[in-house]
Amino acid sequence: MGARVIQPNVGPNIQKEKEIVKEMIELYCRKKHHRDTLCKECLDLKNYAFLRLSFCRFGEDKTACSNCTVHCYKQVYREKMKVVMRYSGPWMLLYHPIYSVKHLLNR
Ligand SMILES: [Zn+2]
């Protein structure tokens, strides 16, 4: 038996969630940091979130991150993400089908 190779998630649910997370962070950065492109801090948060999603152990069956029993985010990123979601959540409801955002904000 060789070492177990962990394959990143590439399913449609994960992709969709990445899209939404990216938009939320971009919106937050644009309105709070007044940037056209993500500032270093927000880019870092986005990259981190993408990585966590890619290697989420639940893959396509994942629930909302905030509902998850496995808290895979480091504390510092969790706090940042909470702030972003609280800020961008209401905006996202205007632009996106309720269900996808609800899923994400479910808590
Ligand atoms: Zn920013």
Side-chain angles (χ1 to χ4, degrees), residues 46-76:
K46 191 206 85 177
N47 288 340
Y48 185 80
F50 272 34
L51 200 68
R52 299 308 340 153
L53 282 169
S54 291
F55 293 100
C56 173
R57 69 162 72 174
F58 300 106
E60 287 295 283
D61 297 326
K62 81 181 285 298
T63 176
C65 289
S66 48
N67 271 352
C68 191
T69 48
V70 179
H71 292 297
C72 69
Y73 272 51
K74 273 190 208 158
Q75 186 66 26
V76 56

Side-chain angles (χ1 to χ4, degrees), residues 23 27 30-31 88-98 101:
E23 279 192 47
L27 191 129
R30 201 159 61 230
K31 302 230 180 244
S88 295
W91 288 94
M92 296 302 285
L93 290 173
L94 294 176
Y95 303 136
H96 283 273
I98 301 284
V101 178

Side-chain angles (χ1 to χ4, degrees), residues 29 33 35 39 42:
C29 192
H33 302 155
R35 301 295 191 104
C39 68
C42 294

